[in-house]
Each structure stands twice: as C-alpha cells, then as structure tokens.
Amino acid sequence: MRTIRIGAGAGFAGDRIEPAVELACHGNLDYLVFECLAERTIALAQQARLADPDKGYDVLLELRMSAVLAACRENGTRIVTNMGAANPLAAAERVRDVARRLGLAGLKVAAVTGDDVLEAIRGSRLSLLEGGTLADLDNRIISANAYTGAAPIAEALAAGADVVVTGRAADPALFLGPLIHSFGWAADDWETLGKGVLAGHLLECAGQVTGGYFADPGVKDIEGLARLGFPIGEVSENGDLIVTKLEGTGGAVTTATVKEQLLYEIEDPARYLQPDVVADFSQVRVRSVGPDRVAVDGGNGAARTGLLKVSIGYIDGHVGEGQISYAGTGAVERGRLALAIVRERLALTGVPMTEVRFDLVGVDALHGAALSQGGAPYEVRVRVAARTEAAADAIAIGNEVEALYTNGPAGGGGVSKSVRQVVAIASALVPESLVSTQLGFFEA
Amino acid sequence: MKLRQIAHSRTGDKGNVSTISVIAFDEADYSLLAEQVTAARVAAHFAGIVTGPVIRYELPQLGALNFVMKGALGGGVTRSLALDAHGKSLSSALLDLDLTAPEHPEGGQARQGKS
C-alpha cells in the first residue's frame, strides 16, 4: 500500500525554525506543513493589512521560506501553510520572491483566498456562539474569516503548486489537502476523511506530539527539549498513520505523548467538527511499533455538517496592567498591602473599569485562593489588570502600580506596566454555500 | 494519593471553554479514574474558576477521560485579564486532586468478592 510522509514544520506563529530545516533536509518528505494561525492571529493580521495593503501575512513567512525552500525543491517536498493569514495573495508573491532570490526558477506558488467573509455577513443579525448577534458588535468588527477545508488545497496541488499558501483554513485541512490529492480520497468517504483529520490533528501542533509541552521532571522525563524534533506522519492510502520523528533529534514519540495530543483542544471526541467531515476520535487506539514510532488507528468520520465556523475579530476596549515585586520575610503581606492600596486608589480616582483583577503572582494568581495552598514564597509579584473602554483609563492602571515605588510598602521593585488594545474573537456558523474559495498562481 | 501519581494531563482551549484530558499512565488504572474523577468532582475542584457545566467524555480504549469545562477562561482567551489567559496551567491543578487508593490491588479480594 502506498504511504506518504508529511512533516509539521511549525505548530504556531513563533515556533522554532531549525526543526523544519532538519525535516526539509533529512525527512525524505512528500509534504511539509507550517501551521501558524491562532484564533486571534488573523484579526491582528487584518489590522496590519488595513495599515498597509501589502502586509497582513505572517511576519516570519520570508524567514521560514528562505530556510527551507531550496531543500524542499531539491527533495521534491511540497509545502502547505496558512501563513497567508489575512493576505494570502501578497504572501504567495513574497514566497515567489524568495524562490527567485534563491534561484529556484519555475517554482510554483498557489494562494487560496475566499475565507474572508466580512462583506458577506456585515450588517446581518448572524447569531454568535457566545450569545447575542453580530449586530451587537456593530462598528467594532475588524475581520470575519471562515475556516475553509481541504478541497482548494488539494486542487492547488493538482494544478502543480510547489507551495500552497492559505488564509484561515482549518488546521487539520492543511494536512488533509495533501492526503486527498495524493490518494484521491472521495469527498464523501467519511471514514477515510476522518482518519486524515486525525493525522492532521496529531501533527498540526508540531513539537506537542514529539515530547514538547509534556515534560514533568521525575514523572514524565523527556530528553533533548532544546533540540526537539518535529513530527513526521507516515500515512497510508487507507488512512492508517504512524507518528515518528527524525533519528538523532530531541524529544520522544510515545503512546503517552500521542494520547495527550489526540485529546488536545477536543470537546466531544466522537464529533470533532471540521469543514470536510465530522471526525470521530472516540474509538482511536495507539500502540508503540518501535523507538519513537507510534501507530494510530480507529479514526472514523461522519457526513460534514454543511456549516463553516467563522472567527469574527472585534475591538473590545483596552487592558491596562501594572506589576511590582516584593521579596524576603513579609513579602506576601507587603504584596497584599500593595494590592489594597491600588484598589483604594482606583476607587478614589474613579478610573472607569468594566473588570479588574488583583493578583499576587507566586501565591494565587493562576488559580485563586482555594487551590493555592502552601508555604510562604521568598518573593511575590503584585499584578493589577483592568479592562477599560478608553486607552487613557488603561494607562492609569499601570501608573497606580508604578506610584507604589514612593507611596507604597517597603522594598517594592521591578515595576512593569503595559496598555494594549484588545482584539477579541467571537464565533458564528455560516452555510458553506456562503464561502467560495479561489486560487491564484505565481511562478518564480 | 494524588491523581498525578497515576495519570497525566494536558489542557486545551477554545474560546471560553477549557478542555482537560486525564490519561492513566497504566491503562489498568482507568477504572479508578472513571470511578473517582467524576464531572462533579472536577467541577467542585475548579469552583470559582469554572462558571459553566463540566462534561466528561470516556475513552476506555486509551485509558483516558476528557473534560470539557464551559465558562472556564474569564470570558475567553482573547478577552481574559488572567495571567494564564489560555488556562494552560489548569491541568497541573487537576493533577493535585486527591484520590482514594483502592483497598485491594487489582486481582485481589475486591475482584474476587464480585465474582
């Protein structure tokens, strides 16, 4: 039975560069996939595009492509990535430019567009999954992008693309597209498509399946995290999968690392909603078949819902934050006094806030008082964060913390403060008929 | 004993929903997890953090449970004021859950009593 090798070169926008280079040079890969979009990334990219129409794609695109493109060309490895973000066409042109600079004449780059549905839904009363309707977000909306499926990616590959650049494609679709193209899987072969989504889901976070985000010294030890190897999926024509990594790289592929990633960000394991299929992971089994080799089977699927999820980015006021540290005996008491002072000051000065938090980092900042039992730490960090409508009010939060230098408890040091505009995300479902994807091609 | 002694865990996030897996190191311990790590206990453990319902999904063939906690992330990852907006550290808090060690080891008197 035919098998293809598909590697994950990035699991998030800021991921390491060298693991992808190792895969490009030594992975003997058919495909190398870079997944670089989080829920909010595309909304931020849309803001960048509004400021400059030539921007709005991943800022590391050129760096990543410069690092792998020549090796991929030499080894016959094709690239799929969602680094197009809010501007896949501009991104594809940049990839072509990189290819030209590297002397890779004839290299073909495809852009998948059509995920931007802002104009199609603007002004509607589309229901939001968080409650309320689109109308509630009114003029604060900055972006709306549908999670698109594998079909346009497979189509671009069939048209000879060496590199496929998408916007808001669903993460597993970046892997499912190449599988559909390689094996000719039917668009209603739900079981096999479900297996393909399973492969994509396991690989899309890159190092998170090869021992990254797993180590717990003394309980779950992992060697070589500073040179973690990224995963390779060996996928058979029937959808069977083996997860592995390059010999000599750090990390580990074990049944435990694969199980953790299998359930990562999954709600109902029997119904993982994707644009192409409702994948069913509920009967999946994993078994070790060699060093750093884990076989995964039992994936299944059911007919897709015909609905696509849309991520809607909107401006949601500002967050102001300030921090200051205290140390030594009595640090916790001085930290609590500092929080009480800032609380009183914000009331006295009447800073308009819709939400505020007073945290003692090192004591109870992460999970609150009930779960945070234990001895007194040597040092604590006071943290005050508040949501305000206006930037000027957000500035006041950090300023009140900073004023603790000369007005607060003894020995406070290391103040930091920040203000950021909040780009929040709401979600909705739209009929797939509302979204039509297009391909654009560029040749080096 | 602590949950941490027999299981590992990873947290994921989708909007204002936190998902937490609980996976037995040894699949033979799955029945202990299934019996003691209930949705109600997880909800009680995270009282004050999780504002919505907690749903449990069972994956016996993996020796694993998957918890879906609604209203767990301060209004959502993109809005939250929390230091850990993704709630990624919640898995470590769950692994501190106290379990009652079985009185009889697997295959011991407890099992014989049932047959």
Side-chain angles (χ1 to χ4, degrees), chain A residues 109-409:
Chain A
V109 186
V112 178
T113 57
D115 58 302
D116 183 342
V117 294
L118 183 55
E119 289 317 311
I121 66 168
R122 198 194 281 279
S124 75
R125 295 198 155 271
L126 191 62
S127 293
L128 302 178
L129 299 180
E130 293 78 7
T133 75
L134 194 67
D136 302 332
L137 303 179
D138 200 28
N139 56 0
R140 294 184 289 150
I141 298 173
I142 51 176
S143 67
N145 293 79
Y147 284 74
T148 57
I153 297 169
E155 197 184 320
L157 292 168
D162 298 295
V163 181
V164 182
V165 183
T166 74
R168 182 63 284 182
D171 297 347
L174 302 174
F175 296 83
L176 186 58
L179 295 173
I180 288 172
H181 168 65
S182 295
F183 297 133
W185 291 345
D188 61 354
D189 182 356
W190 309 120
E191 178 177 348
T192 309
L193 293 177
K195 289 179 198 288
V197 167
L198 173 61
H201 173 72
L202 284 170
L203 298 169
E204 63 160 280
C205 291
Q208 272 197 186
V209 75
T210 52
Y213 209 57
F214 182 86
D216 194 348
V219 184
K220 298 191 293 176
D221 289 297
I222 296 284
E223 297 295 321
L225 286 172
R227 45 184 186 81
L228 185 64
F230 282 1
I232 298 166
E234 298 173 359
V235 187
S236 301
E237 201 163 359
N238 65 1
D240 283 350
L241 167 71
I242 288 174
V243 181
T244 186
K245 67 183 187 72
L246 283 176
E247 207 178 323
T249 59
V253 180
T254 68
T255 55
T257 67
V258 171
K259 286 179 187 178
E260 275 198 22
Q261 192 55 23
L262 175 65
L263 295 175
Y264 177 69
E265 291 187 335
I266 295 293
E267 296 190 26
D268 180 352
R271 289 185 60 76
Y272 184 47
L273 303 176
Q274 287 294 303
D276 301 288
V277 60
V278 176
D280 178 357
F281 299 167
S282 66
Q283 305 303 319
V284 168
R285 290 175 181 276
V286 301
R287 64 197 152 87
S288 177
V289 292
D292 292 318
R293 289 179 68 80
V294 171
V296 183
D297 48 50
N300 207 335
R304 66 177 188 270
T305 62
L307 298 171
L308 297 180
K309 183 171 157 183
V310 174
S311 266
I312 299 150
Y314 64 100
I315 303 291
D316 189 25
H318 293 80
V319 168
E321 183 178 330
Q323 300 188 6
I324 185 168
S325 286
Y326 297 89
T329 304
V332 172
E333 289 73 16
R334 278 175 284 133
R336 292 209 191 286
L337 175 58
L339 289 175
I341 293 167
V342 175
R343 187 189 294 268
E344 191 176 345
R345 285 290 305 165
L346 292 173
L348 280 173
T349 54
V351 176
M353 304 175 291
T354 53
E355 193 183 347
V356 62
R357 277 182 73 109
F358 299 92
D359 295 325
L360 217 44
V361 179
V363 178
D364 60 7
L366 289 174
H367 302 143
L371 286 169
S372 310
Q373 308 298 328
Y378 176 77
E379 62 183 52
V380 301
R381 190 154 177 85
V382 158
R383 173 178 183 267
V384 180
R387 188 188 316 284
T388 68
E389 199 53 45
D393 295 323
I395 290 169
I397 310 300
N399 286 352
E400 283 297 346
V401 173
E402 187 177 38
L404 293 168
Y405 266 144
T406 54
N407 301 278

